Amino acid sequence: MHPHAARLLILHHSRTGGTAAMAEAACEAAASESETRLLKAEEAGPDDLLAAQGYIFAAPENLGSLSGPMKDLFDRCYYPLLDCIQGRAFALMVCAGTDGQGAIRQMRRIATGWRLREVAEPVLVLTGAQTPGVILAPKRLSDAQLAPCRDLGAAMAAGLALGIF
């Protein structure tokens, strides 16, 4: 087996800390249920995805679409993994100011091309950030905002460990 194999791989990108906090919360909750690996999008490659049985993709929405480094991960991995990971479980987490739907749509389309199986509704955390200063400021998410991330991580890991996904 791959030296960094994980039943659940949580891939994330974060500029201001909000998405990183979401991914870390999911990972902490998942670790008690199943082997879990947390990896930044910039550091991940096709072998990392191939070694996992399920995924949580976590990214911020920037300018109404998926963040560049997360899109770059998909660009680098899409064709090398085409027809290699179909049927595997995935879920999404997005941190956004007031919308988030553009990033969700983009990630869903990519996952559809890989023929992955979405097993949970996306977790969307809205920060309300609308001005340049607030958008660029470090994000501190509340326990209430992080709770759905923990729930998703635990549910994904348990589902993989039990063979449900």
Side-chain angles (χ1 to χ4, degrees):
M1 184 160 250
H2 189 276
H4 297 291
R7 295 196 65 77
L8 177 61
L9 177 60
I10 302 172
L11 293 158
H12 71 96
H13 170 253
S14 188
R15 262 189 189 62
T16 61
T19 306
M22 294 170 68
E24 289 162 7
C27 186
E28 289 169 13
S32 65
E33 301 290 337
S34 176
E35 187 179 350
T36 304
R37 186 169 182 222
L38 177 65
L39 196 56
K40 291 180 180 178
E42 303 92 317
E43 298 169 359
D47 287 345
D48 298 302
L49 279 93
L50 200 55
Q53 288 74 49
Y55 317 100
I56 295 176
F57 301 112
E61 182 173 78
N62 296 143
L63 304 172
S65 64
L66 184 60
S67 67
M70 193 63 152
K71 175 67 168 59
D72 177 67
L73 167 73
F74 290 127
D75 288 344
R76 289 183 288 109
C77 295
Y78 188 81
Y79 289 108
L81 294 176
L82 197 59
D83 296 327
C84 296
I85 59 172
Q86 64 270 14
R88 295 185 189 184
F90 83 96
L92 304 173
M93 296 192 304
V94 171
C95 187
T98 59
D99 187 9
Q101 297 305 312
I104 289 171
R105 261 190 314 279
Q106 283 181 289
M107 287 193 286
R108 276 183 166 157
R109 287 185 67 164
I110 293 163
T112 297
W114 270 335
R115 292 187 299 284
L116 297 177
R117 185 167 42 111
E118 190 168 15
V119 296
E121 284 298 311
V123 171
L124 176 59
V125 172
L126 299 176
T127 65
Q130 288 295 291
T131 63
V134 177
I135 290 168
L136 297 172
K139 303 297 180 286
R140 302 282 183 258
L141 302 183
S142 69
D143 282 339
Q145 289 172 308
L146 293 174
C149 305
R150 289 186 194 98
D151 292 345
L152 179 62
M156 283 287 296
L160 289 167
L162 294 170
I164 296 168
F165 311 136

